[in-house]
Amino acid sequence: MPIDAAQLLEQSEWVRRLARGLALDAAAADDLAQEVQLAALVRRVPIRSDPRAWLAAVARNLALRWRRRESVRRLHEQSAVAERPAPEGGEEASSADDGVVDAEFEE
C-alpha cells in the first residue's frame, strides 16, 4: 500500500530537516520538502522499504536534479552575457529615461 497521509504527516518534520540539509536556502528547502511529500502522496506503488529511506532517496534525487538544472541555467545565462555585443563607443548604453532624470535634477 502507498504511504498514507497520516504516515507522511508523522515524517513531515523529519523531511523538512532533511530538506534544509540538502537545499541551498530556506525557501528552496521548503519547496524541496513539499515536492518530496507530493511525490509520496501521488505514488501508487507501495513503498517496500522503510518510508524514511524512500523519502530520503527522493529528497536527494530532487535536490540533485534542482542543482543540475540551476547549474545549466547559470551556464546559459553566462553564455548569453558573453555573446551579447558590446555597446557602441565602449560606453554603457543609456535609456531615454536617464536624460529625463538628469534634466529634472539640473533645474
Side-chain angles (χ1 to χ4, degrees), residues 1-12 14-16 18 33 36-37 39-41 43 45-60:
M1 178 174 156
I3 193 167
D4 66 2
Q7 287 176 310
L8 190 57
L9 187 58
E10 290 173 7
Q11 303 299 328
S12 64
W14 180 84
V15 169
R16 280 191 207 95
L18 177 64
V36 170
Q37 292 170 342
L41 289 173
R43 182 177 171 86
V45 179
I47 297 172
R48 291 189 168 88
S49 64
D50 173 34
R52 279 190 175 191
W54 186 85
L55 292 167
V58 170
R60 280 191 304 271

Side-chain angles (χ1 to χ4, degrees), residues 58-69:
V58 170
R60 280 191 304 271
N61 289 336
L62 286 172
L64 286 172
R65 187 178 308 153
W66 287 358
R67 286 181 185 158
R68 214 174 302 132
R69 199 175 316 141

Side-chain angles (χ1 to χ4, degrees), residues 55-93:
L55 292 167
V58 170
R60 280 191 304 271
N61 289 336
L62 286 172
L64 286 172
R65 187 178 308 153
W66 287 358
R67 286 181 185 158
R68 214 174 302 132
R69 199 175 316 141
E70 182 65 20
S71 175
V72 168
R73 184 189 61 79
R74 242 183 273 121
L75 287 173
H76 283 287
E77 288 176 354
Q78 289 171 352
S79 67
V81 168
E83 293 172 3
R84 184 182 310 154
E88 292 183 27
E91 296 181 14
E92 285 285 323

